[in-house]
Amino acid sequence: MLHELLLSLLGYTGDLVVDDKEHRLSVGLSPENSISDQCTFKLASDISFLQSSERDIIEKTITLGFYYRELDRFATKSRNLSWIRFGNEGSKKNQSVYRRAIANGLVEVLSVYRSAVLHVEQKLLSDPLPILATVTQSLNKFFVLLPPLYELILEIERDDISGGKLLNLLHKRCHCGVPELQTCIQRLLWHGHQVMYNQLASWMVYGILHDQYGEFFICKQEGNSEQDSSNMSEKLARMSVNDGSLSDWHLGFHISLDMLPEYIPMHIAESILFAGKAIRVLRNPSSAFRSVDARHKKLMGDELLPQSEADKIESMLINLKESSEFHKRSFEGAVDSIRAIAASHLWQLVVVRADLNGHLKAIKDYFLLAKGDFFQTFLEESRQLMRLPPRQSTAEADLMVPFRLAVTKTISDDDKYFSRVMLRMPAIGANIKSSKVDVPKSKYADGDSSLSSDSSSEMSLDGWDGIALEYSVDWPLQLFFTQEVLSRYCRIFQYLLRLKRTQMELEKSWESVMQQDHSNFSKRHIERVNGSTSQQRRQCFRPMWRVREHMAFLIRNLQFYIQVDVIESQWNVLQTHIEESRDFAELVEFHQEYLSALISQSFLDIGSVSRILDGIMKLCLQFCWKIENQETNASTNELERITEEFNKKSNSLYTILRSSRLAGSQRAPFLRRFLLRLNFNSYFEQTAQGVMNVIRPTPTIPPLQR
């Protein structure tokens, strides 16, 4: 009887111990491979020679045999790789590397249990009077191990837990008050961590994602939206890039929150993601970049990622792997060190070898109008063209003529970056419609009722305001200059170009009319005509010149504020960061802060201010065109309307900018200087006091006389 009891402890039933599950299988009530959710080992009901106390002890003891059999079945099933030999792809879906690792840990525990049963058998054989207490005394410690392990595999099977979720479950089960059970589950967790460290080594040493069953918390981007994926693909196509590393960097991989263990913080997971992507870039350089290196032998001293650095990363992971327990601080320290190595070499690639600072300077020259002579020449050459509406089919080609003239006059042959700059004019039909209808609607949405009464034609942007620049970027600079970054630069460029065009028109209008006035004066002097008419004409024009001077004063100060106080100061800050930083990710963050500062301090992100500035520039252009045409009385009312609207908008602008929310905030540290320049004689402050409540008499412009 004792031998049959020992066999039942190893999962083999017979006449003494029977299995209810086998009976249910015989009548088809239970699937063969399912794990029973309760103990099915029972003492045979026809055993009559046992006392009730002995029966209770045996029934309690044989539960260990049931737990052993279920744990052994789980381990055998999880470690079964026969589907590889037979090519059964259907079985592959249910496989799990992490379950297989946990199964290896269970095999270790079960081997200890089998050794204990063998030791009990040896005791019983050597004892002349074997007793049941020998069995229970030797196996008593397994009553605190096997039942919780059985509950563990039951939960794993029922909820189909694998990967990071399985590590989470084991980590939670480690927190218990039974030292033996805690040690056992920590061993299982150690086996699970071996798989995770192997995947980390593959990802962070070689840049390879080895995760055939989708269990790692770094996973390939599958794309929930086909439209988002196609949009990103179009953006990459526009950047003229065929490198797989660039596609991987932007949309190849992401963090799966479902598989991320709770004891690994999100910032550490992001560091792991960044390090792996950086290693992929460093180990898979563009063929074009290799050819550039081939022409510069001094850059080929080392590989992009030296083998010594890769060995250093691998040794850190090996040290973590060999540790008997998972130490969060050691793990985070190793990940931070690996990330720093990857970021440093990526910085070396992008900043030093790819000449990041030279490209930043070129973008500043052309997108931020630092080459003022070039754009001044371009606007002068295209001035007459821009007086006419752009033609839908040939607008871009028309602009290329003055653009090339400006290049010939101002750009030297030594400028190796200008060849990357391309002038673009988007489709005219769609843009004009959008500027007249859609843009005002969206602008008024955040609620400036005082401006909503303006006509759509006045608030619509000029047709030439769609002029844009494109910048051709090669590998690996696309990691830094993403399509989003270039779009933000283009937005700033269009704003600055409108501002410069407005400033130039105000100057040219004064120059043109003064030339005409001097010509008329000379003509009358030669012909000795009475000068009273000329004097009267000048008297009529004085209010207009006063308005023009107010416009020019505002535009000049705004232009100075943006170019000097905003762009130059932020550029110096960025240059300091570039010199001090050796981390690519930090550099990207600094550059994003630089761009955000340019946009916010130029008021492009404040709907009410940007609307007013657009309106002011539009009014200035209308004013210049009107006074240059010098039409008769028909234009006088229009000039008065423009003057009134300009006064209203300029006072509104000053009122908003001097509010404590803007002037007192850190978003525009040099705004007070701008306001001081505007209000140096308290003119704006006095005229803006009652702009919303007091109706001031508008200056009357006398009718123009020929």
Side-chain angles (χ1 to χ4, degrees), residues 206-274:
Y206 303 102
I208 299 173
L209 181 62
H210 188 71
D211 183 26
Q212 54 184 333
Y213 305 124
E215 299 179 282
F216 194 36
F217 56 85
I218 304 295
C219 58
K220 273 190 171 294
Q221 183 77 39
E222 296 177 356
N224 296 328
S225 171
E226 296 182 359
Q227 183 178 359
D228 293 343
S229 178
S230 62
N231 290 341
M232 182 60 73
S233 300
E234 290 175 3
K235 290 179 180 178
L236 294 178
R238 286 199 299 270
M239 296 170 74
S240 303
V241 176
N242 297 320
D243 299 287
S245 59
L246 176 62
S247 176
D248 288 346
W249 182 270
H250 290 298
L251 49 83
F253 303 94
H254 72 285
I255 297 174
S256 172
L257 297 180
D258 290 338
M259 291 299 174
L260 179 63
E262 294 179 355
Y263 50 89
I264 297 180
M266 190 62 181
H267 72 276
I268 295 298
E270 290 174 347
S271 296
I272 294 172
L273 175 64
F274 171 82

Side-chain angles (χ1 to χ4, degrees), residues 496-678:
L496 293 177
L497 189 66
R498 287 203 305 272
L499 193 61
K500 189 167 186 65
R501 181 186 171 200
T502 304
Q503 182 250 344
M504 186 201 71
E505 287 291 343
L506 288 168
E507 292 178 353
K508 290 294 183 181
S509 65
W510 171 260
E511 178 184 340
S512 173
V513 177
M514 285 299 100
Q515 286 179 352
Q516 182 64 35
D517 185 70
H518 292 161
S519 175
N520 293 339
F521 178 79
S522 300
K523 183 178 178 181
R524 292 187 183 92
H525 180 72
I526 294 173
E527 296 176 359
R528 302 193 179 277
V529 180
N530 187 5
S532 60
T533 305
S534 175
Q535 201 68 16
Q536 184 180 0
R537 184 179 180 83
R538 289 186 178 185
Q539 194 72 22
C540 294
F541 273 106
R542 281 182 182 175
M544 284 194 302
W545 300 141
R546 193 179 301 116
V547 173
R548 191 213 66 87
E549 179 55 34
H550 288 170
M551 290 179 172
F553 176 77
L554 176 60
I555 296 299
R556 278 198 308 268
N557 279 282
L558 178 61
Q559 196 175 26
F560 183 87
Y561 164 73
I562 294 177
Q563 292 291 158
V564 178
D565 292 340
V566 176
I567 294 178
E568 287 300 328
S569 63
Q570 292 301 322
W571 171 258
N572 292 333
V573 172
L574 179 64
Q575 289 299 302
T576 302
H577 287 318
I578 292 176
E579 292 174 2
E580 296 177 351
S581 175
R582 292 296 181 271
D583 187 314
F584 175 78
E586 283 185 359
L587 202 57
V588 171
E589 185 177 348
F590 291 144
H591 184 248
Q592 292 291 348
E593 292 176 357
Y594 165 74
L595 267 179
S596 299
L598 294 185
I599 291 175
S600 64
Q601 294 185 27
S602 300
F603 320 118
L604 288 176
D605 60 341
I606 306 177
S608 57
V609 177
S610 61
R611 282 198 303 274
I612 292 174
L613 289 174
D614 284 339
I616 287 175
M617 287 187 277
K618 181 70 175 177
L619 291 170
C620 291
L621 291 178
Q622 289 178 357
F623 183 84
C624 293
W625 298 336
K626 292 292 182 183
I627 62 174
E628 283 193 46
N629 290 335
Q630 293 189 10
E631 298 174 1
T632 54
N633 299 347
S635 66
T636 304
N637 294 334
E638 183 66 16
L639 287 172
E640 290 181 354
R641 184 195 67 80
I642 292 174
T643 302
E644 182 180 357
E645 287 297 322
F646 172 77
N647 290 333
K648 185 199 302 183
K649 291 182 183 298
S650 59
N651 289 328
S652 297
L653 175 66
Y654 179 79
T655 302
I656 294 175
L657 294 182
R658 70 189 295 270
S659 65
S660 57
R661 189 182 64 171
L662 282 181
S665 67
Q666 292 300 315
R667 62 173 286 141
F670 299 104
L671 179 57
R672 291 185 180 276
R673 296 186 185 178
F674 174 54
L675 295 175
L676 179 61
R677 295 190 198 106
L678 283 184

